[in-house]
């Protein structure tokens, strides 16, 4: 018989039905009346199903001795109405098989509270906990909602390179990819000669699929990329990862206003989808992690985002009378505390900021006529701050060359990107949303390392 998911059994299982349950034991209680209760979970939902094992079962005593928290079992049994509180049904075992034991002396996930710091050291086991099982289900729902949003709007899903020779952000925080024998070169004190490397030039892991995405946007219409990106930023904050997932749509013929409209619709839609698809998991996060989580998410779904310029936002912050750890002034990038003040205290809802100073933004953003700002936009949400960064792209060939030089880049290294501006250039726009920050948003988790299955951070690349 095919295994029945516990979520389906708990939701629609009727007394008298025979089911095949397979999962991991959360707890075991033995009764003096010669039967035992097993709480079993298979990861399909938050709740466990109670298995009642009677002493009349063949090899009862031997089997029960083998079963401890963490053991895996396969049970065939009959659903019966439960007399216990807090549960509608239970399963009375007709057969019980122990698939794998778990030594209670060494199994680290005993029935007690564990810190998130401890669980990061047990990334191979932490998905078995309530919190991380719920995070996995929410992350899955978000990914499905992301694809559904763009597919419903006829965007093409394109796959951009993970290995690249360009640095989209121009910050130099790129993980290098090489086949050169660095140890031998160090011993011989020979200079690095990338002509002998695998690609014949310096290459690294991508920080963004945007530039390649623009190629397809200016050929086949609206596209999006969705994959891993990497940044060698030596940061140990709760907001940064060295490896993270990004969804990056690129749209031909879109100007900044069109870009903002799409970004707002995107955030509101995927949050709405997760609220509808994962109510039990979000209720758990609302109870255990962030008390105002669901109200905050419903606020995002039900209200239009506030739109204002960077300059207007700076004026609001300066006049607020609030003392910030990082003083705000025009020309400096906003910190998380500034973004959260705008969304949580001043407006009390999401905000889209536009027209940032050109000195703090990337070379590919379209320059405004004032010579001081670019047509950039950031979507800010409560508790997180920036969740989306985007812009109208610079489509003018000569202006783009000047911006590259201004940002310290060599235009010849981006010859193919520049050719897009020579052959049928058009206005186009795009943005990037970090998946892990979105998981933070919808779960209330405070540390981004808990929002990805296997976090990659400085000095940490286990599992």
């Amino acid at each position: 018989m095919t295994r029945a998911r516990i979520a389906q059994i708990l939701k629609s299982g009727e007394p008298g039905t025979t089911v095949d349950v397979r999962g991991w034991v959360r707890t075991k209680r033995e009764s003096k009346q010669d039967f035992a209760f097993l709480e079993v979970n298979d990861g399909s939902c938050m709740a466990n199903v109670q298995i009642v094992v009677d002493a009349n079962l063949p090899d009862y005593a031997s089997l029960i001795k083998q079963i401890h928290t963490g053991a895996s079992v396969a049970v065939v049994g009959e659903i019966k109405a439960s007399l216990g509180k807090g549960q509608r049904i239970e399963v009375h075992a007709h057969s019980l098989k122990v698939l794998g034991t778990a030594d209670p002396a060494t199994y680290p996930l005993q029935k007690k509270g564990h810190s998130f710091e401890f669980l990061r050291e047990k990334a191979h086991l932490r998905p078995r906990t309530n919190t991380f099982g719920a995070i996995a289900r929410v992350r899955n729902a978000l990914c499905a909602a992301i694809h559904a949003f763009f597919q419903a709007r006829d965007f093409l899903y394109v796959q951009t390179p993970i290995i690249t020779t360009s640095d989209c952000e121009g910050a130099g925080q790129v993980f290098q990819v090489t086949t050169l024998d660095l140890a031998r070169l160090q011993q011989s004190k020979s200079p690095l000669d990338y002509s002998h490397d695998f690609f014949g030039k310096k290459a690294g892991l991508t920080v963004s699929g945007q530039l390649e995405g623009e190629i397809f946007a200016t050929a086949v219409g609206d596209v999006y990329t969705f994959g891993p990106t990497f940044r060698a930023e030596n940061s140990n904050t709760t907001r940064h990862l060295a490896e993270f997932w990004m969804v990056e749509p690129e749209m031909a013929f879109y100007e900044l206003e069109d870009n903002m409209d799409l970004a707002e619709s995107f955030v509101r839609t995927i949050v709405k989808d997760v609220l509808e698809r994962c109510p039990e998991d979000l209720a758990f996060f609302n109870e255990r992690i962030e008390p105002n989580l669901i109200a905050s998410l419903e606020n995002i779904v039900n209200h239009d985002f506030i739109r204002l310029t960077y300059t207007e936002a700076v004026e609001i912050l300066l006049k607020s009378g609030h003392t910030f750890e990082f003083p705000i002034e025009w020309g400096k990038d906003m910190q998380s505390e500034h973004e959260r003040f705008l969304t949580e205290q001043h407006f009390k809802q999401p905000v889209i900021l536009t027209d940032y100073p050109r000195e703090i933004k990337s070379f590919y953003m379209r320059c405004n006529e004032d010579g001081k700002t670019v047509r950039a936009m950031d979507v800010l949400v409560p508790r997180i701050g920036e969740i989306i960064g985007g812009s109208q792209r610079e489509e003018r060939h000569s202006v783009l060359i000047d911006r590259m030089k201004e940002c310290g880049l060599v235009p010849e290294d981006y010859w193919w990107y520049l050719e897009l501006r020579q052959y049928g250039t058009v206005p186009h726009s795009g943005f990037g949303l970090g998946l892990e920050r979105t998981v933070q948003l919808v779960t209330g988790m405070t540390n981004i390392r808990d929002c990805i299955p296997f976090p990659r951070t400085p000095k940490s690349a286990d599992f």
Side-chain angles (χ1 to χ4, degrees):
M1 182 185 294
T2 302
R3 160 175 83 106
R5 299 288 275 172
I6 286 175
Q8 296 171 324
I9 293 172
L10 294 174
K11 182 178 181 181
S12 58
E14 291 298 327
T17 305
T18 298
V19 291
D20 179 354
V21 180
R22 305 179 195 183
W24 293 267
V25 175
R26 291 289 180 87
T27 63
K28 177 186 76 171
R29 289 187 295 118
E30 293 185 66
S31 169
K32 294 180 180 179
Q33 284 76 38
D34 291 330
F35 60 87
F37 297 104
L38 306 180
E39 294 287 332
V40 176
N41 192 287
D42 66 355
S44 62
C45 63
M46 183 70 64
N48 308 320
V49 66
Q50 178 166 279
I51 309 293
V52 181
V53 186
D54 190 273
N56 294 325
L57 202 70
D59 298 322
Y60 169 84
S62 172
L63 289 170
I64 290 300
K65 285 182 180 179
Q66 298 177 55
I67 296 174
H68 301 282
T69 297
S72 54
V73 295
V75 177
V76 175
E78 180 184 348
I79 295 177
K80 293 190 177 182
S82 177
L83 300 177
K85 293 182 179 180
Q87 56 196 23
R88 182 179 66 89
I89 58 172
E90 59 192 19
V91 175
H92 288 236
H94 294 161
S95 69
L96 169 65
K97 183 177 182 180
V98 179
L99 301 176
T101 60
D103 185 349
T106 59
Y107 184 63
L109 302 184
Q110 295 299 318
K111 191 179 179 182
K112 61 178 182 179
H114 299 287
S115 70
F116 293 142
E117 290 80 5
F118 171 79
L119 292 173
R120 282 178 215 127
E121 299 173 0
K122 308 293 180 185
H124 59 307
L125 296 174
R126 70 177 184 171
R128 299 187 188 184
T129 66
N130 284 337
T131 300
F132 288 92
I135 290 172
R137 290 187 292 271
V138 167
R139 186 180 170 106
N140 171 71
L142 273 172
C143 291
I146 287 168
H147 282 294
F149 177 87
F150 290 113
Q151 292 296 322
R153 289 158 178 78
D154 293 326
F155 278 64
L156 291 184
Y157 173 38
V158 299
Q159 295 76 41
T160 52
I162 290 178
I163 299 175
T164 180
T165 58
S166 61
D167 178 2
C168 178
E169 299 303 323
Q173 298 166 335
V174 177
F175 285 102
Q176 188 174 341
V177 174
T178 182
T179 56
L180 295 175
D181 188 339
L182 300 181
R184 184 182 62 80
L185 290 173
Q186 184 179 34
Q187 286 181 342
S188 65
K189 298 182 180 180
S190 302
L192 288 175
D193 183 356
Y194 289 106
S195 66
H196 298 298
D197 208 346
F198 187 89
F199 295 106
K201 60 175 65 176
K202 190 174 182 179
L205 299 179
T206 185
V207 301
S208 169
Q210 175 203 315
L211 303 187
E212 293 85 357
E214 289 185 51
I215 294 174
F216 280 84
T218 54
V220 297
D222 301 340
V223 301
Y224 70 105
T225 74
F226 190 10
T229 52
F230 309 85
R231 197 157 299 175
E233 184 177 0
N234 189 18
S235 173
N236 283 291
T237 74
T238 59
R239 292 167 49 85
H240 293 93
L241 290 165
E243 177 185 76
F244 50 97
W245 282 66
M246 290 280 289
V247 55
E248 298 177 286
E250 292 292 330
M251 295 75 63
F253 311 108
Y254 269 49
E255 298 195 11
L256 186 63
E257 291 72 19
D258 307 307
N259 206 24
M260 289 190 287
D261 290 343
L262 184 73
E264 177 175 344
S265 177
F266 177 50
V267 172
R268 294 172 67 178
T269 299
I270 63 175
V271 170
K272 181 176 182 289
D273 285 357
V274 174
L275 279 167
E276 293 174 350
R277 185 169 174 177
C278 302
E280 293 179 351
D281 293 320
L282 294 186
F284 169 82
F285 290 118
N286 194 82
E287 179 184 350
R288 301 291 184 89
I289 303 298
E290 172 52 55
N292 297 314
L293 176 68
I294 292 177
S296 175
L297 297 179
E298 289 175 342
N299 182 47
I300 291 172
V301 171
N302 296 326
H303 292 91
D304 292 339
F305 293 5
I306 301 294
R307 300 185 184 187
L308 68 161
T309 66
Y310 165 92
T311 299
E312 291 169 332
V314 169
E315 291 174 355
I316 290 171
L317 293 167
L318 289 173
K319 294 176 180 178
S320 68
H322 188 86
T323 301
F324 295 104
E325 179 182 356
F326 297 93
I328 184 71
E329 64 178 87
W330 201 96
K332 287 188 176 181
D333 209 355
M334 287 193 182
Q335 302 298 315
S336 177
E337 60 173 339
H338 307 137
E339 297 167 343
R340 293 188 61 177
F341 177 86
L342 292 170
T343 58
E344 295 172 23
Q345 297 186 48
H346 188 80
F347 291 110
K348 294 183 172 59
Q349 60 192 94
V351 172
I352 303 180
L353 295 187
T354 65
D355 301 296
Y356 281 77
R358 62 190 288 165
E359 289 81 6
I360 62 173
K361 288 298 183 179
S362 298
F363 70 93
Y364 51 75
M365 298 185 177
R366 195 182 200 279
C367 294
N368 284 320
E369 300 306 319
D370 61 11
K372 298 178 180 179
T373 60
V374 292
R375 292 183 66 74
M377 66 153 197
D378 284 348
V379 179
L380 315 180
V381 293
R383 293 186 291 103
I384 301 298
E386 180 196 337
I387 196 170
I388 279 179
S391 71
Q392 183 173 335
R393 313 312 190 191
E394 182 56 77
E395 86 280 9
R396 297 165 294 185
H397 184 261
S398 61
V399 177
L400 182 57
I401 290 178
D402 290 341
R403 276 291 284 155
M404 285 180 170
K405 292 177 179 178
E406 183 180 318
C407 294
L409 301 177
V410 179
E412 289 75 17
D413 292 342
Y414 296 83
W415 60 271
W416 53 271
Y417 190 69
L418 287 166
E419 282 194 357
L420 296 177
R421 276 71 179 169
Q422 289 179 294
Y423 307 135
T425 188
V426 296
H428 59 289
S429 301
F431 61 80
L433 173 137
L435 177 60
E436 286 71 33
R437 284 197 183 179
T438 312
V439 173
Q440 278 191 284
L441 172 68
V442 299
T443 61
M445 297 297 290
T446 57
N447 196 319
I448 201 167
R449 301 179 190 197
D450 299 323
C451 298
I452 191 169
F454 305 102
R456 297 289 182 258
T457 55
K459 303 296 188 294
S460 177
D462 294 331
F463 309 101

